[in-house]
Amino acid sequence: MTEREKLIVAFLTQHGWGQAARVRLANDASFRHYERLAKGRQKAVLMDAPPPKEDVGPFIRIAEHLLAMGYSAPRILAIDKPAGLLLLEDLGDDTFTRLLARGEDEEDLYWLAVDLLIDLHDKGLDAVPLDLPIYDDERLLAEAQLLVDWYAPEMLGGPLPQAALDAYAQAWRDVLPTARRVPETIVLRDFHVDNLMRLPRSGVAACGLLDFQDAVTGPITYDLMSLLEDARRDIDPVLIQGLKRRYLDAFPTLNPQLFEASWAVLAAQRHAKVIGIFTRLCRRDGKPVYLGHIPRVWRLLEAALEHAELTPIRLWLDQYLPKDKRGVPTP
């Protein structure tokens, strides 16, 4: 038994789950992993987030905040913060991803997710916990640089020259302020079908939330864009437009042109980040499965680049990472 396993067994025993059956659930793209616990008819979920690579503090804070506002984050049943262990309410298996794979109505699920965002964003800055980190330009830029740090060297056979890296950073500094021309709220950051669940509850509480520990204060456009420009699945463009219209209709004072410009900048930023992350997951973490999504993410990125606000980024990519270099890295 490893030292980590001993910690887990002691934690479970302390909180009355020492004799529970344990079944490993799917890992995510981080260093966390999860287990479902069962004893009789009782169920719970163990989150194993080993320090120093993971910190359960933000998860605890945001979960409690969302629960206090009436949203369906998992209730926290037990905590060992120094060990990086949490015992969580088991919300079941009905993620949107699984429901869609079973043929459930796509439109109904996406309406539910958008209605939750409308409800959350209607609270404005009251939805933001005190001292929540700001999704400022430097943080956004650091994420966008994952494209040139991890993906570009794979496709170009080596790192870019410093002058090209400096030009890339400057291009982003030129466009990122456009993202902030809309109101700000809490941004959950990984708001997509893998992290959403349908629960037998009423109203927006029927939308379960699983992954929010990286929440920040940022533009209202980010989570809706993350939902509808999904790196892992294609969504009917007609449905996307209908959902965007539903959102905009809920906020009649929101300027649609500023909304679209903010959306385009954040979409380009996220897609650049994701291409870099998927490459890093393969090279650093031995998870090549994510490479299969890169062609879709490039299509989404190139679509975002068509917006006039993204001209500096489009010109940089055309010069330093042209279309014939936008393939899939070799596993």
Side-chain angles (χ1 to χ4, degrees):
M1 185 183 295
T2 66
E3 290 303 314
R4 185 71 189 166
E5 179 62 16
K6 290 177 183 178
L7 275 176
I8 291 171
V9 169
F11 173 71
L12 295 177
T13 300
Q14 179 184 357
H15 296 287
W17 291 84
Q19 301 303 313
R22 296 166 55 185
V23 178
R24 186 75 169 259
L25 298 176
N27 294 343
D28 62 16
S30 72
F31 294 99
R32 296 184 300 274
H33 79 262
Y34 300 85
E35 293 181 6
R36 170 165 286 140
L37 311 176
K39 56 175 185 177
R41 295 184 178 181
Q42 291 181 285
K43 290 184 179 180
V45 169
L46 170 71
M47 177 196 287
D48 177 10
K53 294 176 180 177
E54 297 289 338
D55 176 11
V56 297
F59 183 95
I60 297 167
R61 181 185 181 202
I62 302 302
E64 291 176 344
H65 180 72
L66 292 170
L67 287 163
M69 289 192 293
Y71 300 115
S72 293
R75 290 181 298 111
I76 299 173
L77 309 177
I79 300 171
D80 185 338
K81 191 173 179 180
L85 297 171
L86 297 179
L87 198 60
L88 305 174
E89 176 188 11
D90 186 354
L91 295 180
D93 294 310
D94 285 340
T95 65
F96 281 20
T97 299
R98 291 192 181 101
L99 293 170
L100 290 164
R102 296 206 302 259
E104 295 275 348
D105 190 280
E106 179 183 50
E107 188 169 322
D108 286 349
L109 293 171
Y110 278 97
W111 285 133
L112 175 59
V114 171
D115 283 348
L116 184 144
L117 288 179
I118 290 170
D119 189 87
L120 181 64
H121 294 175
D122 189 51
K123 295 176 171 59
L125 291 176
D126 289 340
V128 181
L130 290 176
D131 302 320
L132 193 68
I134 305 294
Y135 216 2
D136 59 20
D137 288 356
E138 289 308 305
R139 186 185 290 254
L140 288 162
L141 174 58
E143 293 178 351
Q145 285 179 318
L146 292 170
L147 179 77
V148 293
D149 291 344
W150 289 91
Y151 178 81
E154 290 287 328
M155 304 309 296
L156 301 175
L160 285 157
Q162 189 59 47
L165 297 174
D166 291 343
Y168 181 77
Q170 186 56 54
W172 279 109
R173 290 192 177 98
D174 290 343
V175 305
L176 285 172
T178 298
R180 305 193 174 285
R181 295 175 187 165
V182 295
E184 296 199 330
T185 187
I186 183 172
V187 175
L188 302 180
R189 288 187 63 193
D190 283 311
F191 193 84
H192 54 74
V193 293
D194 286 356
N195 294 328
L196 302 174
M197 304 193 72
R198 188 177 64 193
L199 305 174
R201 302 176 185 178
S202 60
V204 296
C207 187
L209 301 169
L210 293 181
D211 192 337
F212 41 74
Q213 62 274 347
D214 295 326
V216 290
T217 304
I220 57 169
T221 38
Y222 191 92
D223 280 340
L224 187 62
M225 175 276 300
S226 173
L227 175 71
L228 300 181
E229 297 202 16
D230 196 328
R232 296 165 176 83
R233 72 183 306 268
D234 298 315
I235 306 169
D236 183 349
V238 174
L239 177 58
I240 291 174
Q241 289 307 311
L243 291 164
K244 289 172 78 171
R245 174 49 50 195
R246 184 181 183 92
Y247 183 89
L248 286 168
D249 286 347
F251 299 100
T253 62
L254 186 59
N255 184 304
Q257 288 73 38
L258 296 181
F259 175 87
E260 290 293 347
S262 173
W263 178 295
V265 170
L266 291 173
Q269 184 272 349
R270 181 173 175 87
H271 300 325
K273 173 184 75 170
V274 168
I275 292 169
I277 287 173
F278 285 174
T279 306
R280 184 177 69 186
L281 283 167
C282 175
R283 283 290 171 263
R284 188 191 71 182
D285 303 332
K287 299 177 180 179
V289 64
Y290 294 94
L291 295 181
H293 300 302
I294 285 180
R296 176 184 299 106
V297 186
W298 264 117
R299 290 194 299 272
L300 292 168
L301 174 52
E302 289 170 351
L305 294 174
E306 294 177 6
H307 197 287
E309 293 287 347
L310 272 299
T311 298
I313 306 301
R314 177 175 53 79
L315 293 175
W316 188 95
L317 288 168
D318 287 345
Q319 179 175 354
Y320 293 105
L321 203 56
K323 287 184 182 289
D324 64 336
K325 300 296 184 182
R326 300 175 188 176
V328 178
T330 302

